[in-house]
PDB file of all heavy atoms in Angstrom:
ATOM      1  N   HIS A 421      98.433  91.757  81.790  1.00  0.00           N
ATOM      2  CA  HIS A 421      97.437  90.826  82.325  1.00  0.00           C
ATOM      3  C   HIS A 421      96.026  91.123  81.803  1.00  0.00           C
ATOM      4  O   HIS A 421      95.165  90.247  81.821  1.00  0.00           O
ATOM      5  CB  HIS A 421      97.457  90.855  83.851  1.00  0.00           C
ATOM      6  CG  HIS A 421      98.573  90.056  84.442  1.00  0.00           C
ATOM      7  ND1 HIS A 421      98.507  88.694  84.631  1.00  0.00           N
ATOM      8  CD2 HIS A 421      99.815  90.428  84.867  1.00  0.00           C
ATOM      9  CE1 HIS A 421      99.636  88.248  85.154  1.00  0.00           C
ATOM     10  NE2 HIS A 421     100.458  89.285  85.307  1.00  0.00           N
ATOM     11  N   LEU A 422      95.823  92.361  81.356  1.00  0.00           N
ATOM     12  CA  LEU A 422      94.527  92.718  80.769  1.00  0.00           C
ATOM     13  C   LEU A 422      94.548  92.566  79.249  1.00  0.00           C
ATOM     14  O   LEU A 422      93.615  92.992  78.567  1.00  0.00           O
ATOM     15  CB  LEU A 422      94.161  94.154  81.165  1.00  0.00           C
ATOM     16  CG  LEU A 422      93.886  94.391  82.658  1.00  0.00           C
ATOM     17  CD1 LEU A 422      93.754  95.884  82.961  1.00  0.00           C
ATOM     18  CD2 LEU A 422      92.614  93.658  83.099  1.00  0.00           C
ATOM     19  N   HIS A 423      95.636  91.983  78.718  1.00  0.00           N
ATOM     20  CA  HIS A 423      95.817  91.762  77.276  1.00  0.00           C
ATOM     21  C   HIS A 423      95.873  93.069  76.491  1.00  0.00           C
ATOM     22  O   HIS A 423      95.564  93.096  75.300  1.00  0.00           O
ATOM     23  CB  HIS A 423      94.698  90.857  76.713  1.00  0.00           C
ATOM     24  CG  HIS A 423      94.500  89.606  77.526  1.00  0.00           C
ATOM     25  ND1 HIS A 423      95.450  88.620  77.619  1.00  0.00           N
ATOM     26  CD2 HIS A 423      93.454  89.200  78.307  1.00  0.00           C
ATOM     27  CE1 HIS A 423      95.012  87.648  78.403  1.00  0.00           C
ATOM     28  NE2 HIS A 423      93.808  87.967  78.844  1.00  0.00           N
ATOM     29  N   GLN A 424      96.290  94.135  77.153  1.00  0.00           N
ATOM     30  CA  GLN A 424      96.432  95.439  76.489  1.00  0.00           C
ATOM     31  C   GLN A 424      97.930  95.622  76.156  1.00  0.00           C
ATOM     32  O   GLN A 424      98.645  96.439  76.731  1.00  0.00           O
ATOM     33  CB  GLN A 424      95.921  96.547  77.424  1.00  0.00           C
ATOM     34  CG  GLN A 424      94.440  96.403  77.738  1.00  0.00           C
ATOM     35  CD  GLN A 424      94.006  97.258  78.931  1.00  0.00           C
ATOM     36  OE1 GLN A 424      94.822  97.799  79.669  1.00  0.00           O
ATOM     37  NE2 GLN A 424      92.700  97.369  79.130  1.00  0.00           N
ATOM     38  N   TYR A 425      98.395  94.834  75.208  1.00  0.00           N
ATOM     39  CA  TYR A 425      99.826  94.695  74.981  1.00  0.00           C
ATOM     40  C   TYR A 425     100.483  95.952  74.409  1.00  0.00           C
ATOM     41  O   TYR A 425     101.625  96.277  74.759  1.00  0.00           O
ATOM     42  CB  TYR A 425     100.093  93.485  74.075  1.00  0.00           C
ATOM     43  CG  TYR A 425      99.550  92.209  74.654  1.00  0.00           C
ATOM     44  CD1 TYR A 425      98.554  91.471  73.991  1.00  0.00           C
ATOM     45  CD2 TYR A 425     100.007  91.729  75.888  1.00  0.00           C
ATOM     46  CE1 TYR A 425      98.045  90.298  74.534  1.00  0.00           C
ATOM     47  CE2 TYR A 425      99.501  90.562  76.436  1.00  0.00           C
ATOM     48  CZ  TYR A 425      98.521  89.856  75.761  1.00  0.00           C
ATOM     49  OH  TYR A 425      98.012  88.716  76.298  1.00  0.00           O
ATOM     50  N   GLU A 426      99.785  96.656  73.543  1.00  0.00           N
ATOM     51  CA  GLU A 426     100.357  97.878  72.964  1.00  0.00           C
ATOM     52  C   GLU A 426     100.572  98.937  74.050  1.00  0.00           C
ATOM     53  O   GLU A 426     101.587  99.640  74.058  1.00  0.00           O
ATOM     54  CB  GLU A 426      99.456  98.431  71.851  1.00  0.00           C
ATOM     55  CG  GLU A 426      99.360  97.535  70.619  1.00  0.00           C
ATOM     56  CD  GLU A 426     100.689  97.412  69.867  1.00  0.00           C
ATOM     57  OE1 GLU A 426     101.598  98.239  70.113  1.00  0.00           O
ATOM     58  OE2 GLU A 426     100.826  96.487  69.049  1.00  0.00           O
ATOM     59  N   ASP A 427      99.598  99.030  74.965  1.00  0.00           N
ATOM     60  CA  ASP A 427      99.744  99.979  76.078  1.00  0.00           C
ATOM     61  C   ASP A 427     100.911  99.570  76.973  1.00  0.00           C
ATOM     62  O   ASP A 427     101.664 100.416  77.468  1.00  0.00           O
ATOM     63  CB  ASP A 427      98.453 100.033  76.906  1.00  0.00           C
ATOM     64  CG  ASP A 427      97.314 100.706  76.166  1.00  0.00           C
ATOM     65  OD1 ASP A 427      97.587 101.696  75.467  1.00  0.00           O
ATOM     66  OD2 ASP A 427      96.169 100.246  76.283  1.00  0.00           O
ATOM     67  N   ALA A 428     101.062  98.258  77.180  1.00  0.00           N
ATOM     68  CA  ALA A 428     102.185  97.759  77.990  1.00  0.00           C
ATOM     69  C   ALA A 428     103.515  98.147  77.363  1.00  0.00           C
ATOM     70  O   ALA A 428     104.447  98.585  78.060  1.00  0.00           O
ATOM     71  CB  ALA A 428     102.082  96.249  78.146  1.00  0.00           C
ATOM     72  N   LEU A 429     103.623  98.007  76.040  1.00  0.00           N
ATOM     73  CA  LEU A 429     104.885  98.320  75.348  1.00  0.00           C
ATOM     74  C   LEU A 429     105.279  99.788  75.509  1.00  0.00           C
ATOM     75  O   LEU A 429     106.460 100.105  75.647  1.00  0.00           O
ATOM     76  CB  LEU A 429     104.773  97.976  73.865  1.00  0.00           C
ATOM     77  CG  LEU A 429     104.894  96.490  73.506  1.00  0.00           C
ATOM     78  CD1 LEU A 429     104.714  96.299  72.012  1.00  0.00           C
ATOM     79  CD2 LEU A 429     106.243  95.939  73.963  1.00  0.00           C
ATOM     80  N   LYS A 430     104.288 100.682  75.495  1.00  0.00           N
ATOM     81  CA  LYS A 430     104.582 102.116  75.648  1.00  0.00           C
ATOM     82  C   LYS A 430     105.324 102.372  76.964  1.00  0.00           C
ATOM     83  O   LYS A 430     106.304 103.127  77.019  1.00  0.00           O
ATOM     84  CB  LYS A 430     103.290 102.941  75.615  1.00  0.00           C
ATOM     85  CG  LYS A 430     102.629 102.993  74.254  1.00  0.00           C
ATOM     86  CD  LYS A 430     101.298 103.743  74.353  1.00  0.00           C
ATOM     87  CE  LYS A 430     100.533 103.671  73.029  1.00  0.00           C
ATOM     88  NZ  LYS A 430      99.185 104.308  73.144  1.00  0.00           N
ATOM     89  N   HIS A 431     104.837 101.742  78.035  1.00  0.00           N
ATOM     90  CA  HIS A 431     105.461 101.950  79.345  1.00  0.00           C
ATOM     91  C   HIS A 431     106.798 101.228  79.455  1.00  0.00           C
ATOM     92  O   HIS A 431     107.746 101.753  80.057  1.00  0.00           O
ATOM     93  CB  HIS A 431     104.507 101.495  80.449  1.00  0.00           C
ATOM     94  CG  HIS A 431     103.305 102.375  80.595  1.00  0.00           C
ATOM     95  ND1 HIS A 431     103.367 103.605  81.201  1.00  0.00           N
ATOM     96  CD2 HIS A 431     102.018 102.203  80.191  1.00  0.00           C
ATOM     97  CE1 HIS A 431     102.167 104.159  81.179  1.00  0.00           C
ATOM     98  NE2 HIS A 431     101.331 103.335  80.569  1.00  0.00           N
ATOM     99  N   LEU A 432     106.896 100.062  78.880  1.00  0.00           N
ATOM    100  CA  LEU A 432     108.162  99.317  78.940  1.00  0.00           C
ATOM    101  C   LEU A 432     109.264 100.030  78.167  1.00  0.00           C
ATOM    102  O   LEU A 432     110.430 100.029  78.578  1.00  0.00           O
ATOM    103  CB  LEU A 432     107.970  97.901  78.402  1.00  0.00           C
ATOM    104  CG  LEU A 432     107.180  96.958  79.319  1.00  0.00           C
ATOM    105  CD1 LEU A 432     106.834  95.669  78.583  1.00  0.00           C
ATOM    106  CD2 LEU A 432     107.952  96.664  80.598  1.00  0.00           C
ATOM    107  N   ARG A 433     108.902 100.669  77.056  1.00  0.00           N
ATOM    108  CA  ARG A 433     109.906 101.400  76.281  1.00  0.00           C
ATOM    109  C   ARG A 433     110.456 102.568  77.101  1.00  0.00           C
ATOM    110  O   ARG A 433     111.646 102.893  77.026  1.00  0.00           O
ATOM    111  CB  ARG A 433     109.316 101.931  74.960  1.00  0.00           C
ATOM    112  CG  ARG A 433     109.071 100.933  73.861  1.00  0.00           C
ATOM    113  CD  ARG A 433     110.170  99.932  73.614  1.00  0.00           C
ATOM    114  NE  ARG A 433     111.520 100.465  73.663  1.00  0.00           N
ATOM    115  CZ  ARG A 433     112.608  99.722  73.740  1.00  0.00           C
ATOM    116  NH1 ARG A 433     112.508  98.408  73.797  1.00  0.00           N
ATOM    117  NH2 ARG A 433     113.808 100.264  73.769  1.00  0.00           N
ATOM    118  N   ILE A 434     109.589 103.203  77.890  1.00  0.00           N
ATOM    119  CA  ILE A 434     110.055 104.311  78.745  1.00  0.00           C
ATOM    120  C   ILE A 434     111.098 103.792  79.729  1.00  0.00           C
ATOM    121  O   ILE A 434     112.148 104.412  79.932  1.00  0.00           O
ATOM    122  CB  ILE A 434     108.874 104.953  79.491  1.00  0.00           C
ATOM    123  CG1 ILE A 434     107.944 105.668  78.511  1.00  0.00           C
ATOM    124  CG2 ILE A 434     109.374 105.941  80.556  1.00  0.00           C
ATOM    125  CD1 ILE A 434     106.645 106.158  79.116  1.00  0.00           C
ATOM    126  N   VAL A 435     110.813 102.639  80.337  1.00  0.00           N
ATOM    127  CA  VAL A 435     111.750 102.045  81.303  1.00  0.00           C
ATOM    128  C   VAL A 435     113.064 101.683  80.622  1.00  0.00           C
ATOM    129  O   VAL A 435     114.150 102.049  81.087  1.00  0.00           O
ATOM    130  CB  VAL A 435     111.140 100.797  81.980  1.00  0.00           C
ATOM    131  CG1 VAL A 435     112.150 100.158  82.928  1.00  0.00           C
ATOM    132  CG2 VAL A 435     109.862 101.150  82.738  1.00  0.00           C
ATOM    133  N   LEU A 436     113.000 100.960  79.517  1.00  0.00           N
ATOM    134  CA  LEU A 436     114.197 100.420  78.882  1.00  0.00           C
ATOM    135  C   LEU A 436     115.023 101.482  78.160  1.00  0.00           C
ATOM    136  O   LEU A 436     116.234 101.338  78.023  1.00  0.00           O
ATOM    137  CB  LEU A 436     113.812  99.302  77.910  1.00  0.00           C
ATOM    138  CG  LEU A 436     113.116  98.097  78.576  1.00  0.00           C
ATOM    139  CD1 LEU A 436     112.642  97.109  77.524  1.00  0.00           C
ATOM    140  CD2 LEU A 436     114.046  97.421  79.573  1.00  0.00           C
ATOM    141  N   ASP A 437     114.376 102.542  77.713  1.00  0.00           N
ATOM    142  CA  ASP A 437     115.106 103.608  77.024  1.00  0.00           C
ATOM    143  C   ASP A 437     115.809 104.551  77.992  1.00  0.00           C
ATOM    144  O   ASP A 437     116.653 105.350  77.592  1.00  0.00           O
ATOM    145  CB  ASP A 437     114.168 104.422  76.132  1.00  0.00           C
ATOM    146  CG  ASP A 437     113.715 103.633  74.915  1.00  0.00           C
ATOM    147  OD1 ASP A 437     114.346 102.584  74.636  1.00  0.00           O
ATOM    148  OD2 ASP A 437     112.737 104.036  74.264  1.00  0.00           O
ATOM    149  N   GLU A 438     115.424 104.486  79.270  1.00  0.00           N
ATOM    150  CA  GLU A 438     116.015 105.391  80.256  1.00  0.00           C
ATOM    151  C   GLU A 438     116.859 104.632  81.268  1.00  0.00           C
ATOM    152  O   GLU A 438     116.909 104.957  82.435  1.00  0.00           O
ATOM    153  CB  GLU A 438     114.904 106.186  80.969  1.00  0.00           C
ATOM    154  CG  GLU A 438     114.155 107.113  80.025  1.00  0.00           C
ATOM    155  CD  GLU A 438     113.075 107.922  80.719  1.00  0.00           C
ATOM    156  OE1 GLU A 438     112.961 107.824  81.956  1.00  0.00           O
ATOM    157  OE2 GLU A 438     112.354 108.649  80.028  1.00  0.00           O
ATOM    158  N   VAL A 439     117.536 103.578  80.794  1.00  0.00           N
ATOM    159  CA  VAL A 439     118.389 102.782  81.674  1.00  0.00           C
ATOM    160  C   VAL A 439     119.467 103.667  82.291  1.00  0.00           C
ATOM    161  O   VAL A 439     120.055 104.513  81.632  1.00  0.00           O
ATOM    162  CB  VAL A 439     119.020 101.591  80.926  1.00  0.00           C
ATOM    163  CG1 VAL A 439     119.911 102.048  79.800  1.00  0.00           C
ATOM    164  CG2 VAL A 439     119.765 100.690  81.894  1.00  0.00           C
TER     165      VAL A 439
END
Side-chain angles (χ1 to χ4, degrees):
H421 281 277
L422 294 171
H423 310 294
Q424 297 165 348
Y425 302 118
E426 294 294 344
D427 290 321
L429 282 178
K430 290 176 187 176
H431 291 284
L432 287 170
R433 286 316 319 166
I434 293 171
V435 177
L436 298 174
D437 289 345
E438 295 181 4
V439 62

